[in-house]
Amino acid sequence: MDHLAVIGAGAWGTALAVVCRRAGRQVTLWGRDPARMEEIAEARENTRYLAGVTLDSGIRITGDAAALAEAEAALVVVPAQTLRATLSDLAPALGSDLPLVLCAKGIEQHSGQLTTAVAEDCARSNPLAVLSGPTFAAEVAAGLPTAVTLASGEAELAKALAQAIGSSRFRPYVSDDPLGVEIGGAVKNVLAIACGIVAGQKLGDNARAALITRGLAEMTRLCLARGGKVETMMGLAGLGDLTLSCTATQSRNYSLGLALGSGESLEAALAASRGVTEGVYTAKAAVAMAEAEGIEMPICAAVDQVVNHGADLAATIEGLMARPFKAEGFSA
């Protein structure tokens, strides 16, 4: 795989274009707005989303979908809520055998589908893989050491993609559990909002550690109910990404929770965020998925009540703490 496309020119898409170029590939970075892409091409910098990172001349920057036809694989780096529209619009430009690497973290709100299911609706014959893990775009673009999970039901495809994008500073670990990887990437956004609220309410480090641990149990419970693997939840796409997102203000979801916990309104917190805060959408979808599976996800349900139903923050926290005592484990 010598030529890779990156679909989506936000911070993460731009960082992944840098990763692919660093791995020695020819890269096409595509964005929906041709005028904006022309600005990025002229400046050789995405000043809006990833300022300070120079884009190598080996990265072709374009708003022309026809340029995607040259690629041997495409990394799809658009928000989960716009994935369906993007793939549908680009379908004529994407060959039916072009591997698609899904890099969004979330659940489509109106359908309750994970990103692979959305992609299968729009690109039925394209081989699919999922890329996830503890990654802040600015650190990845700067070449700081990063490890990710790259999962596919096709083992050889996962290995080939890992070889294509991997380098000494960006280390992909191969997995055969794309479903588990997706669940980890989606649910951690909801739990990051919860951890931000804990920090904003000044509830202490004990509370945050407990929330991360019990949040991991919720993620694992849902993963197993849907047929994923417990090992995935203990890996980079599970515990790794959860830890990162729940402990750093670089996380949009954590920052949103921090603002809410500090007394800001949801509207003000969202307005201050650059990019999509996926946890708001995913909270509702994750709770619906849990109900369909007959499992409990009380932390995610509490976040959903706060961000989507206007529940009182203090009363919601008290309700969580007043739940009956249970045995520790994924089933509790």
Side-chain angles (χ1 to χ4, degrees):
M1 294 182 180
D2 293 322
H3 193 143
L4 301 175
V6 177
I7 297 171
W12 186 218
T14 305
L16 283 173
V18 172
V19 164
C20 294
R21 183 57 188 154
R22 193 176 285 143
R25 310 302 159 207
Q26 292 297 307
V27 182
T28 297
L29 175 62
W30 177 89
R32 182 177 294 278
D33 183 348
R36 176 63 186 153
M37 298 310 291
E38 186 174 342
E39 291 176 8
I40 296 172
E42 290 178 357
R44 305 310 300 179
E45 180 183 356
N46 189 340
T47 55
R48 181 179 299 177
Y49 292 113
L50 204 61
V53 176
T54 300
L55 302 179
D56 186 276
S57 59
I59 300 174
R60 179 183 180 184
I61 301 165
T62 181
D64 181 6
L68 300 174
E70 302 173 13
E72 296 169 77
L75 283 67
V76 186
V77 200
V78 298
Q81 308 310 319
T82 62
L83 178 62
R84 186 181 299 274
T86 300
L87 288 180
S88 297
D89 291 346
L90 292 178
L94 301 175
S96 61
D97 59 348
L98 181 71
L100 302 178
V101 185
L102 307 177
C103 303
K105 298 174 181 179
I107 302 171
E108 189 178 55
Q109 188 176 39
H110 78 270
S111 69
Q113 289 184 325
L114 295 165
T115 57
T116 49
V118 173
E120 286 167 356
D121 284 348
C122 305
R124 295 183 180 277
S125 60
N126 293 78
L128 299 177
V130 178
L131 175 69
S132 192
T135 51
F136 286 142
E139 294 188 10
V140 171
L144 298 179
T146 301
V148 296
T149 302
L150 206 166
S152 176
E154 301 180 27
E156 292 305 313
L157 173 62
K159 291 177 183 178
L161 289 167
Q163 288 294 325
I165 68 174
S167 67
S168 62
R169 294 287 174 163
F170 190 82
R171 184 175 178 83
Y173 284 82
V174 171
S175 167
D176 62 355
D177 182 21
L179 185 147
V181 169
E182 286 190 89
I183 288 174
V187 177
K188 65 90 184 180
N189 285 331
V190 184
L191 299 170
I193 294 176
C195 275
I197 290 172
V198 165
Q201 289 277 293
K202 302 187 186 306
L203 298 180
D205 292 335
N206 292 350
R208 180 169 61 182
L211 193 149
I212 291 172
T213 306
R214 295 312 303 163
L216 178 61
E218 291 191 16
M219 284 171 51
T220 305
R221 196 178 304 139
L222 182 60
C223 175
L224 295 177
R226 294 296 298 262
K229 298 181 178 182
V230 68
E231 294 89 346
T232 305
M233 295 297 94
M234 300 303 114
L236 291 161
L239 179 59
D241 206 3
L242 178 65
T243 302
L244 181 71
S245 297
C246 288
T247 57
T249 54
Q250 287 187 68
S251 164
R252 288 193 297 269
N253 294 282
Y254 180 89
S255 294
L256 176 78
L258 182 63
L260 294 176
S262 301
E264 289 188 29
S265 68
L266 177 64
E267 293 73 18
L270 287 172
S273 177
R274 173 166 287 186
V276 178
T277 308
E278 284 285 0
V280 174
Y281 302 100
T282 301
K284 182 178 180 179
V287 169
M289 190 178 289
E291 290 175 351
E293 296 293 343
I295 62 173
E296 288 189 328
M297 297 180 70
I299 300 171
C300 290
V303 172
D304 178 48
Q305 286 298 312
V306 169
V307 301
N308 291 314
H309 302 283
D312 178 76
L313 193 55
T316 303
I317 293 170
E318 286 301 314
L320 270 178
M321 296 303 294
R323 296 180 71 244
F325 302 130
K326 296 184 175 182
E328 188 173 24
F330 301 139
S331 61

